[in-house]
Amino acid sequence: QMLLASACGVGGRTLEQLSRGAWPELFNRLRECVAAGRAAAGARSYGVVALLLLQGEHNAIGANNGATGRAAYLALLRRFHADFLDDIVRGTAGQSTIPAMFTYQTGGAYASDDMAVPQAQLDFALSTQGVFMAAPVYPLPDRPTGHLRADGYRWLGAQFGKVLTTLFVERRLWRPLHPIAAAGSGKQVLVSFHVP
């Protein structure tokens, strides 16, 4: 067996700009990577196992007129995922098996009072079969400019590796750290979390 990893990302874009049908169609990068992988496999079996989608910052700040609302961004995530499955997985790769999709939760300098985009990312992961949030980025070391520090990126990469191992090697289900209930009494607020 061979393992092929492709880096198809384009930085500094909204999800609208990365989606199928945008101009220029950056979604083609996924098509091209999968087509090249399938060609390289030749007569051997080939399939897409996972997609790691690290996006949300430009939508969180409303750059390039990107959707910033929770419902609007969630709809974009659902459409991107459906297009990925239909166009790339079933179309280009020619497979019927659904690959896993991994994401993270935008935070740090891109946080806002309503946290609409990060909440939509969590909603998407918790409500969509085969989609897993590896981690939020708020506990990671970052810079005031919004980018993570080197340790932050290293730790985030290790967390993605941990989640991939949990699912693919250990064959255990993964759910991210997230609040599940909150209760208040006087000056005290108690929050229950799902802790992996």
Side-chain angles (χ1 to χ4, degrees):
Q1 288 185 346
M2 289 181 15
L3 178 64
L4 172 66
S6 301
C8 309
V10 180
R13 302 295 193 278
T14 63
L15 191 52
E16 292 93 334
Q17 292 174 307
L18 298 174
S19 295
R20 183 168 71 176
W23 182 256
E25 190 157 350
L26 299 172
F27 195 78
N28 278 333
R29 293 173 64 100
L30 289 169
R31 271 190 213 101
E32 291 164 0
C33 284
V34 170
R38 188 169 185 191
R44 294 179 295 242
S45 64
Y46 172 81
V48 177
V49 177
L51 171 69
L52 280 61
L53 178 66
L54 286 77
Q55 193 283 332
E57 291 79 7
H58 271 63
N59 283 90
I61 62 171
N64 300 315
N65 297 315
T68 58
R70 182 175 176 177
Y73 188 76
L74 179 59
L76 287 171
L77 282 170
R78 292 192 190 290
R79 191 183 94 215
F80 183 91
H81 185 244
D83 288 344
F84 170 70
L85 295 178
D86 183 51
D87 190 332
I88 308 301
V89 175
R90 293 182 191 102
T92 307
Q95 73 186 63
S96 58
T97 306
I98 304 298
M101 182 173 169
F102 298 88
T103 187
Y104 71 159
Q105 192 174 37
T106 301
Y110 298 97
S112 63
D113 288 342
D114 66 359
M115 297 296 285
V117 167
Q119 187 58 52
Q121 291 168 321
L122 180 61
D123 294 343
F124 180 57
L126 294 178
S127 66
T128 309
Q129 186 175 4
V131 176
F132 305 93
M133 178 176 285
V137 298
Y138 64 79
L140 302 175
D142 64 353
R143 298 182 181 282
T145 59
H147 291 285
L148 298 178
R149 295 184 180 276
D151 277 342
Y153 283 116
R154 184 170 52 85
W155 296 350
L156 182 60
Q159 180 64 23
F160 269 90
K162 174 182 164 182
V163 175
L164 286 160
T165 300
T166 299
L167 287 160
F168 293 143
V169 177
E170 298 170 0
R171 304 275 188 200
R172 292 187 297 120
L173 186 61
W174 171 264
R175 290 177 65 89
L177 171 71
H178 64 279
I180 53 176
S185 177
K187 294 181 179 182
Q188 188 176 34
V189 176
L190 299 174
V191 181
S192 297
F193 284 84
H194 170 78
V195 180

